[in-house]
């Protein structure tokens, strides 16, 4: 399309083409149209054969833009993953996969495999923590059930002891009452016998005289 050594006019036209395509690429990238953005990027990459410093600088700036967009996506992905927001993390991971299907990972400075391993690691980490929490809750519930059972046994034993104590007190009170009545009765009998003896003694004294 152009000679290896460009005239000033050729160079200016080339720069204008690159700038126009780079703006279009950026727009497609911001809209999430990664297929279209990738097509523009591949077209721009072919211009490197011209070996023009101004073109190289523009391509470098575009690549920095690609890497900035990617790094932001990766940061959002990692934040979601470490907080176990896996639904949102999956969306970011899908976007990164889409980007890698239209761009070279090297151009994006993205290691998709590392991100996928990161995602899997935290999924396993959450699963392990959930299992630990489940076991802890089960242990707590088991201990609570044992405590409730022990309290029921203690309460039953307490009621039985109170019942036995009440029975003993009742029996003691009844026995004491019977003993008191018996003692009174015996006291009355003793009084009668004493009175009778006195009468007999009194009656016997004049007879002896």
């Amino acid at each position: 399309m152009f000679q290896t050594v460009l005239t000033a006019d050729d160079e200016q036209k080339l720069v204008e083409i690159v700038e126009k395509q780079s703006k279009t690429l950026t727009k497609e990238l911001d809209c999430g149209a990664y297929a279209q953005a990738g097509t523009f990027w591949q077209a721009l990459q072919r211009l490197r054969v011209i070996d023009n410093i101004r073109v190289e600088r523009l391509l470098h700036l575009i690549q920095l833009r690609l890497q900035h967009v990617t790094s932001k996506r990766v940061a959002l992905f990692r934040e979601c993953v470490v907080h176990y927001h896996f639904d949102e993390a999956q969306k970011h991971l899908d976007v990164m996969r889409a980007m890698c299907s239209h761009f070279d990972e090297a151009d994006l400075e993205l290691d998709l495999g590392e991100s996928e391993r990161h995602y899997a690691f935290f999924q396993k980490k959450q699963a392990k923590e959930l299992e630990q929490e489940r076991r802890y809750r089960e242990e707590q519930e088991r201990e609570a059930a044992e405590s409730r059972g022990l309290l029921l046994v203690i309460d039953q034993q307490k009621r039985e002891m109170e019942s036995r104590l009440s029975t003993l007190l009742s029996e003691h009170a009844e026995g004491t009452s019977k003993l008191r009545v018996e003692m009174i009765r015996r006291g009355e009998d003793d009084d009668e016998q004493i009175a009778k003896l006195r009468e007999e003694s009194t009656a016997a004294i004049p007879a002896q005289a």
Side-chain angles (χ1 to χ4, degrees):
M1 184 176 180
F2 295 102
Q3 299 175 358
T4 303
V5 179
L6 301 177
T7 65
D9 186 53
D10 289 338
E11 183 179 12
Q12 183 60 35
K13 288 180 180 179
L14 178 61
V15 168
E16 289 175 359
I17 291 173
V18 173
E19 288 178 341
K20 182 178 180 181
Q21 288 192 331
S22 67
K23 289 179 181 179
T24 303
L25 185 153
T26 301
K27 182 179 178 181
E28 298 292 349
L29 199 63
D30 292 339
C31 294
Y34 303 113
Q36 294 88 329
T39 299
F40 280 108
W41 175 245
Q42 294 303 323
L44 289 170
Q45 287 285 80
R46 287 193 289 269
L47 297 178
R48 290 186 184 276
V49 297
I50 299 174
D51 194 25
N52 180 273
I53 188 64
R54 293 181 64 186
V55 171
E56 286 294 328
R57 287 175 179 173
L58 286 172
L59 292 176
H60 180 66
L61 290 174
I62 296 170
Q63 188 169 1
L64 289 178
R65 171 63 178 165
L66 285 171
Q67 293 170 358
H68 176 69
V69 170
T70 304
S71 65
K72 284 179 62 178
R73 181 68 63 177
V74 171
L76 291 171
F77 164 76
R78 287 180 172 273
E79 184 178 359
C80 290
V81 168
V82 297
H83 290 97
Y84 300 155
H85 299 159
F86 293 114
D87 289 342
E88 287 299 315
Q90 183 64 57
K91 294 177 182 178
H92 292 303
L93 188 58
D94 289 342
V95 169
M96 288 189 284
R97 287 170 177 160
M99 294 176 71
C100 288
S101 66
H102 302 290
F103 294 90
D104 290 336
E105 290 188 24
D107 291 335
L108 299 173
E109 284 194 345
L110 171 63
D111 187 342
L112 183 61
E114 192 276 335
S115 294
E116 290 174 335
R117 289 190 295 272
H118 191 70
Y119 183 85
F121 171 81
F122 276 92
Q123 277 191 316
K124 292 179 180 178
K125 184 173 183 289
Q126 186 197 41
K128 183 178 179 180
E129 291 177 358
L130 290 174
E131 178 62 18
Q132 290 175 340
E133 289 177 5
R134 184 188 66 78
R135 291 181 179 179
Y136 176 76
R137 286 195 301 270
E138 287 181 352
E139 181 65 17
Q140 291 292 100
E141 290 173 358
R142 184 187 64 78
E143 291 179 356
E146 290 179 355
S147 297
R148 289 193 297 270
L150 182 60
L151 288 174
L152 288 174
V153 170
I154 293 174
D155 187 60
Q156 179 65 27
Q157 291 177 344
K158 179 182 177 182
R159 287 198 298 269
E160 290 176 356
M161 290 179 65
E162 289 175 345
S163 177
R164 289 175 59 189
L165 180 60
S166 177
T167 300
L168 289 173
L169 290 174
S170 178
E171 290 175 351
H172 176 72
E174 183 179 355
T176 301
S177 177
K178 288 181 178 179
L179 180 61
R180 185 179 295 110
V181 170
E182 180 63 21
M183 291 178 65
I184 292 173
R185 186 185 65 75
R186 289 181 180 181
E188 291 176 348
D189 290 344
D190 291 342
D191 290 343
E192 289 178 359
Q193 290 180 1
I194 292 171
K196 185 176 181 181
L197 288 172
R198 285 178 179 175
E199 289 177 358
E200 292 176 352
S201 299
T202 302
I205 292 172
Q208 291 178 356

